[in-house]
Amino acid sequence: MDLSVVVPTLNARDRLAATLDALSAHAPNVEVVVVNGPSADGTSGLVRDHPVVDILLELSERNVNAARNAGLAAATGDVLALLGQASCVREGWVDALRDGIANADAVTGPIHRDVAGGHTTEAVERRRIRGRDVTYFDGGNVAFTRDAIEALDGFDEYLETGAARDAAHRLAGMNRPVSWQSGMAVVRTDADDVTHRVAADADVPLWGVKYRSLAYRLAKNYGVHPTVPYRLGRHALTDALGVAKDVLTGDERPSEWAANGNAVLRNAARGVRDGLSARRSDGPPRRNPNGVSQRMDRTLARYD
């Protein structure tokens, strides 16, 4: 197995250093591609001096999916892994990855998050949607065969969040299995996707970002089907009830609750519109009009 590991990063110098040190200790013979952009905390110097890094790409965009795609395009391995900027691999990570990818198109594993008094661990998440068996994965701990990445055309750069879940839906639509390996574990100390939010949309409430993403990927993957409003409505009702409890306890103001509800409705409608447009733009099985092949000019500088 010829393995490449892509690590997107943005303003996380100290956490990235720990991630690179863990790769050096537990995956010393893999190709490491770091995609930085645009950090202002000395990340570039750290990466250029770290012995485990083979390629550094500098980007001007803050979108984590643009960084992922740029790294995937530059990597040379026949197996391509994505690792979060604050996700430290553990002993046995490479062996578990190798075992999982032997009989699947993608492989993922648990993420341990440090909390007071110990850590929490994510379990495998699976859903059956319109006849598809979808195995979800985190974009900060997953590996693909090169053939699978090329079939997906990488990640959909329209999405600010949830692109890994979108890719999971698309893999399921191609009947490409995703393996879960408990030994392919990482320890994470922050939420990687949040730090890569697109600056141009910084004025959009997080509720709006969430529902635009959810609506877009549902409409793009499943079209005009009852499952789209059903799943949107179920998520919205659950979230609305949770926030309503905060209003009753005084932790949330009614005006903020109303504003968030308005953001949900507006962005869900926009997401459905854009998702249907994307569905028409790129048909099955890929469903990715904003992937690697569409954006080959993103890298500002490359250091080998």
Side-chain angles (χ1 to χ4, degrees):
M1 179 183 68
D2 187 9
L3 175 63
S4 297
V5 179
V6 175
V7 187
T9 189
L10 177 66
N11 291 328
R13 186 181 187 277
D14 293 340
R15 293 187 295 274
L16 176 64
T19 297
L20 297 178
D21 289 345
L23 281 170
S24 181
H26 303 303
N29 298 315
V30 307
E31 178 185 58
V32 176
V33 180
V34 176
V35 188
N36 177 44
S39 294
D41 63 349
T43 292
S44 295
L46 163 73
V47 175
R48 292 176 70 176
D49 291 339
H50 202 290
V52 81
V53 178
D54 297 287
I55 299 172
L56 166 63
L57 303 179
E58 299 280 4
L59 270 64
S60 61
E61 297 176 78
R62 296 173 64 90
N63 186 328
V64 67
N65 298 305
R68 288 167 175 165
N69 283 347
L72 292 170
T76 64
D78 54 31
V79 176
L80 307 174
L82 289 165
L83 197 63
Q85 64 183 2
S87 298
C88 297
V89 301
R90 306 178 74 179
E91 185 176 359
W93 184 82
V94 172
D95 291 337
L97 187 160
R98 182 184 293 108
D99 290 343
I101 207 70
N103 298 300
D105 291 282
V107 57
T108 188
I111 293 175
H112 305 308
R113 300 180 188 271
D114 291 334
V115 296
H119 61 259
T120 61
T121 300
E122 295 178 356
V124 61
E125 181 184 359
R126 295 188 174 98
R127 296 283 186 276
R128 185 166 180 81
I129 303 174
R130 289 203 63 190
R132 299 182 186 181
D133 292 317
V134 183
T135 300
Y136 294 108
F137 49 81
D138 189 292
N141 185 31
V142 63
F144 308 87
T145 64
R146 179 169 290 278
D147 181 64
I149 279 293
E150 290 177 352
L152 288 170
D153 199 24
F155 290 81
D156 190 329
E157 294 182 25
Y158 171 94
L159 291 162
E160 298 173 49
T161 185
R165 296 179 78 84
D166 172 67
H169 285 284
R170 294 190 289 122
L171 282 173
M174 298 176 187
N175 294 315
R176 291 178 176 268
V178 178
S179 172
W180 171 271
Q181 295 289 316
S182 60
M184 189 178 158
V186 300
V187 177
R188 177 174 294 170
T189 56
D190 74 351
D192 292 312
D193 277 358
V194 174
T195 64
H196 282 81
R197 287 196 58 213
V198 177
D201 281 339
D203 59 336
V204 178
L206 287 177
W207 285 111
V209 172
K210 172 183 175 178
Y211 278 89
R212 187 195 306 172
S213 167
L214 176 62
Y216 173 85
R217 62 180 187 261
L218 285 172
K220 184 183 71 167
N221 285 291
Y222 301 103
V224 181
H225 188 273
T227 193
V228 175
Y230 167 73
R231 291 185 176 276
L232 280 171
R234 189 181 66 178
H235 280 276
L237 179 60
T238 300
D239 287 337
L241 290 175
V243 177
K245 292 179 181 178
D246 292 336
V247 171
L248 292 174
T249 59
D251 294 329
E252 182 92 6
R253 290 181 301 201
S255 59
E256 293 177 349
W257 183 62
N260 286 331
N262 184 48
V264 166
L265 292 174
R266 287 188 294 104
N267 283 278
R270 178 179 171 185
V272 168
R273 181 199 68 194
D274 293 348
L276 292 176
S277 176
R279 184 177 176 86
R280 292 190 296 270
S281 298
D282 194 13
R286 190 172 66 179
R287 299 288 189 204
N288 186 7
N290 309 291
V292 173
S293 64
Q294 302 302 311
R295 297 288 312 282
M296 297 304 294
D297 60 343
R298 59 174 62 81
T299 301
L300 294 179
R302 170 175 172 148
Y303 303 94
D304 295 282

